[in-house]
C-alpha cells in the first residue's frame, strides 16, 4: 500500500488537469500495460446497424407477403409494428429517466442483451462492477438499432405494396364493433388528421373492409376502398413507432456522456485512487502521550496528515473493528472519528433509534465494516434501510489477520448488498495502512 500511494502521488503530479475524470484517466494510462497492437476499428457497430435495418425490412416484407389472398390484417399489423414498439419505447424511456436521476434500472433475467453480454467475456464476473455502464451502452445503441429496424420496416411498407397487390382488412375473434374501430382509428389519427386528411380512415372504408373468412369474393370497388388504409398505417408507423425511437435515441445520445462520466467516477475503487493521488503521503507520527503509548506497546500508526471528511458515516457492525482505529485502514482514513457509530450490540429498537438520528444529517457516503468470516444478517439490512436517503453505500469486509477472504464469502455479501435501498452499493475488502 505504501508503494501504491507513492506511485499514485507521482502520477497525480504529472497530470495536467485536476478534474476527477481526467485524473482517473491519467491514472489508468499510467498503470495500464502497453498495447501489443493498434486498437481495432469499430466496424461492428455499422454492421449491426445495417443488420437491424435489414431485419426490419424482412419482418415487414415477410408479414405482408405471408398474408393470405393479399389481405393484410390491420389489427395484427398495428399490434406487432406499432403497439409493441410503443411498449418497448415506453420501457426504454422509463429506464432512461431512472438513469438520468442517478438510479440504475434492473435488467430482466431473460434479457437478450444480458445473455449476449454474459457470453461475450471469458468470465461473467468481469461485468459485475460495470453493470451500470453496460446498461447505458445497451440503452444507447438499443435505441439506434430500434430506430433502424423501424426505418427498414417503413421502407418495406412502401416498396412491397408498390410491387404487389395488397388490400387491408380488419377482423377479430373478439367482439369489436365498427363504431369501436372507428373511434380507435380516429383517436390514433388525431395528431395528423388536420394536416394530412388523406391519412385518415373514413367510416365507409372501415365498414367495407371488415373481413370474415367466409367471404370468398371481393369486388374491385371493395378492394380499392380497402387500400385506403395505407396512408393511416404509414403515419401510424411513423408517429407511434419511428418518432419515439428517434426521440429516445437523441435523449440517450445527449445523456450518454454525462451518465458514463457518473458511472466512471462511481466505479468501486475510484474514490480510493483519487484519495491516494491527491492527499499527502501517510506518515507515522507520534500522538500525544507517545512515550506512555510506546511503553504500553501500542505502536498503531496514525494518519495525522490526512484531512477528514465530514460527509462520511461509518458503521462498525457487531464490533468488527474491535479496539482498532479507522485510521489503520486505507479505505477509512478520511472518516471523522465523530462520525463512527458502533451498531449490532444492543436491541434492534435502540439501534434503529440511533440510526434514525443520523438519517437527516446530510451524509453522502455510508461505510459499513463487517466481519468477513461471519454471514450477512437480515437485521443489518433492516437497520441500513433507515439510512436509505444516503446515496452511496460501501460494505467493507475485514479479513482475519494473515488470511485471505474466500471468494464465496465475498459473493454472499454481494448478494446481500444488491437489494439494499441505496442508489449505489459496492462491496470491497479493507486494506491496512502499511508504514515504514
Amino acid at each position: 500500500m505504501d508503494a501504491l500511494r507513492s506511485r499514485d502521488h507521482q502520477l497525480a503530479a504529472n497530470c495536467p488537469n485536476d478534474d476527477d475524470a481526467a485524473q482517473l484517466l491519467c491514472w489508468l494510462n499510467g498503470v495500464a500495460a502497453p498495447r501489443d497492437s493498434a486498437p481495432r476499428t469499430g466496424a461492428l457497430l455499422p454492421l449491426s446497424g445495417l443488420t437491424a435495418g435489414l431485419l426490419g425490412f424482412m419482418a415487414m416484407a415477410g408479414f405482408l407477403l405471408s398474408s393470405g389472398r393479399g389481405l393484410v390484417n390491420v389489427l395484427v399489423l398495428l399490434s406487432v409494428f406499432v403497439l409493441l414498439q410503443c411498449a418497448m419505447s415506453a420501457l426504454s424511456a422509463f429506464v432512461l429517466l431512472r438513469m438520468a436521476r442517478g438510479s440504475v434500472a434492473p435488467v430482466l433475467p431473460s434479457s437478450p442483451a444480458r445473455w449476449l453480454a454474459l457470453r461475450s467475456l471469458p468470465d461473467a464476473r468481469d461485468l459485475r462492477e460495470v453493470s451500470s455502464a453496460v446498461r447505458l451502452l445497451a440503452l444507447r445503441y438499443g435505441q439506434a438499432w430500434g430506430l433502424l429496424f423501424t426505418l427498414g420496416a417503413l421502407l418495406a411498407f412502401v416498396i412491397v405494396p408498390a410491387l404487389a397487390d395488397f388490400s387491408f382488412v380488419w377482423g377479430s375473434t373478439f367482439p369489436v364493433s365498427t363504431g369501436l374501430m372507428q373511434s380507435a382509428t380516429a383517436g390514433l389519427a388525431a395528431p395528423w388528421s388536420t394536416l394530412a386528411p388523406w391519412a385518415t380512415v373514413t367510416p365507409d372504408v372501415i365498414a367495407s373492409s371488415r373481413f370474415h373468412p367466409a367471404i370468398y369474393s371481393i369486388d374491385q370497388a371493395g378492394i380499392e376502398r380497402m387500400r385506403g388504409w395505407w396512408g393511416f398505417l404509414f403515419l401510424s408507423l411513423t408517429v407511434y413507432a419511428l418518432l419515439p425511437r428517434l426521440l429516445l435515441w437523441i435523449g440517450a445520445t445527449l445523456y450518454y456522456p454525462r451518465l458514463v462520466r457518473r458511472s466512471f467516477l462511481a466505479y468501486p475503487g475510484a474514490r480510493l485512487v483519487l484519495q491516494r493521488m491527491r492527499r499527502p503521503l501517510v506518515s507515522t507520527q507520534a500522538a500525544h502521550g507517545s512515550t506512555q503509548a510506546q511503553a504500553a506497546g501500542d505502536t498503531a500508526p496514525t494518519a495525522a496528515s490526512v484531512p477528514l471528511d465530514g460527509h462520511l458515516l461509518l458503521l462498525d457492525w457487531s464490533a468488527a473493528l474491535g479496539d482498532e482505529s479507522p485510521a489503520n485502514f486505507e479505505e477509512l482514513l478520511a472518516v471523522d472519528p465523530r462520525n463512527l457509530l458502533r451498531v449490532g450490540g444492543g436491541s434492534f429498537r435502540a439501534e434503529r433509534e440511533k440510526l434514525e438520528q443520523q438519517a437527516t444529517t446530510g451524509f453522502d457516503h455510508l461505510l459499513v465494516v463487517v466481519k468477513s468470516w461471519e454471514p450477512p444478517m437480515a437485521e443489518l439490512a433492516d437497520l441500513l434501510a433507515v439510512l436509505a436517503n444516503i446515496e452511496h453505500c460501501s460494505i467493507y469486509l475485514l479479513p482475519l489477520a494473515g488470511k485471505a477472504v474466500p471468494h464465496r464469502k465475498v459473493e454472499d455479501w454481494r448478494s446481500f448488498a444488491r437489494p439494499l435501498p441505496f442508489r449505489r452499493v459496492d462491496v470491497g475488502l479493507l486494506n491496512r495502512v502499511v508504514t515504514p
Side-chain angles (χ1 to χ4, degrees):
M1 190 58 62
D2 186 59
L4 290 179
R5 285 194 297 271
S6 300
R7 180 201 64 186
D8 296 345
H9 209 68
Q10 182 63 33
L11 291 175
N14 297 329
C15 184
N17 199 326
D18 293 335
D19 180 69
D20 290 349
Q23 288 209 336
L24 284 177
L25 287 175
C26 288
W27 181 85
L28 286 175
N29 292 331
V31 301
R35 296 181 182 271
D36 297 331
S37 59
R40 295 175 295 175
T41 58
L44 182 60
L45 292 178
L47 181 61
S48 62
L50 181 62
T51 303
L54 183 61
L55 288 176
F57 186 93
M58 294 173 59
M60 178 61 76
F63 174 77
L64 295 175
L65 294 174
S66 63
S67 301
R69 299 164 57 187
L71 301 177
V72 181
N73 194 321
V74 172
L75 295 179
V76 177
L77 189 148
L78 289 175
S79 299
V80 175
F81 292 96
V82 176
L83 295 181
L84 182 59
Q85 292 278 7
C86 282
M88 296 175 65
S89 298
L91 180 61
S92 299
F94 171 74
V95 173
L96 181 61
L97 289 176
R98 286 200 58 176
M99 288 185 173
R101 295 176 54 190
S103 302
V104 177
V107 175
L108 296 176
S110 58
S111 172
R114 178 187 178 93
W115 183 88
L116 180 63
L118 291 178
R119 282 155 181 79
S120 299
L121 296 175
D123 192 344
R125 292 174 295 180
D126 293 340
L127 287 178
R128 181 184 298 116
E129 304 297 353
V130 293
S131 58
S132 59
V134 172
R135 286 173 173 86
L136 296 178
L137 194 66
L139 180 65
R140 181 188 180 187
Y141 289 108
Q143 300 315 306
W145 294 331
L147 177 64
L148 294 173
F149 178 90
T150 308
L151 280 174
L154 273 173
L155 184 62
F157 194 68
V158 174
I159 294 177
V160 176
L163 301 178
D165 191 12
F166 288 98
S167 300
F168 299 96
V169 297
W170 67 278
S172 174
T173 57
F174 296 101
V176 180
S177 63
T178 303
L180 179 60
M181 192 67 179
Q182 181 177 346
S183 301
T185 55
L188 291 175
W192 65 81
S193 59
T194 303
L195 299 177
W198 55 271
T200 59
V201 188
T202 59
D204 60 328
V205 172
I206 296 176
S208 61
S209 60
R210 184 163 190 168
F211 176 74
H212 191 274
I215 300 176
Y216 288 97
S217 61
I218 303 176
D219 56 7
Q220 187 63 30
I223 293 177
E224 293 296 333
R225 286 194 300 269
M226 292 175 184
R227 290 172 182 166
W229 281 93
W230 186 90
F232 167 79
L233 295 174
F234 179 82
L235 281 188
S236 294
L237 289 168
T238 303
V239 173
Y240 297 109
L242 181 66
L243 184 60
R245 290 290 188 184
L246 178 61
L247 295 177
L248 284 171
W249 176 73
I250 294 175
T253 303
L254 293 177
Y255 271 110
Y256 183 73
R258 183 186 308 175
L259 297 182
V260 166
R261 174 187 172 88
R262 181 190 301 169
S263 176
F264 180 51
L265 296 177
Y267 188 85
R271 181 180 60 86
L272 298 179
V273 171
L274 291 175
Q275 287 179 3
R276 293 198 298 264
M277 294 178 72
R278 293 174 175 175
R279 290 174 178 171
L281 297 178
V282 178
S283 59
T284 304
Q285 297 182 0
H288 295 292
S290 57
T291 304
Q292 292 82 351
Q294 292 176 2
D298 185 5
T299 60
T302 60
S305 60
V306 176
L308 301 179
D309 190 343
H311 296 282
L312 302 177
L313 176 61
L314 175 60
L315 296 186
D316 180 11
W317 170 253
S318 190
L321 291 175
D323 297 332
E324 292 195 77
S325 169
N328 293 350
F329 301 94
E330 178 76 13
E331 292 78 7
L332 310 180
L333 286 175
V335 178
D336 191 325
R338 294 171 297 181
N339 295 341
L340 169 62
L341 292 180
R342 303 186 185 274
V343 294
S347 66
F348 178 80
R349 183 174 181 178
E351 303 285 6
R352 183 182 179 89
E353 292 177 353
K354 184 190 304 184
L355 294 183
E356 286 176 348
Q357 298 175 1
Q358 308 294 330
T360 59
T361 51
F363 290 108
D364 297 331
H365 195 173
L366 174 64
L367 311 177
V368 184
V369 179
V370 299
K371 301 174 183 177
S372 62
W373 58 92
E374 292 185 354
M377 302 291 292
E379 182 181 357
L380 175 59
D382 295 337
L383 289 176
L384 293 180
V386 179
L387 303 173
N389 61 315
I390 299 178
E391 182 178 355
H392 189 185
C393 175
S394 296
I395 298 178
Y396 289 114
L397 278 60
L398 178 66
L400 284 171
K403 293 186 178 180
V405 179
H407 178 70
R408 58 181 178 82
K409 292 290 186 180
V410 181
E411 286 300 313
D412 290 342
W413 281 101
R414 279 177 172 152
S415 301
F416 167 82
R418 288 190 187 101
L420 293 178
F422 301 96
R423 288 190 175 183
R424 301 202 311 269
V425 183
D426 52 71
V427 177
L429 302 179
L430 283 180
N431 298 289
R432 292 185 177 274
V433 174
V434 179
T435 55

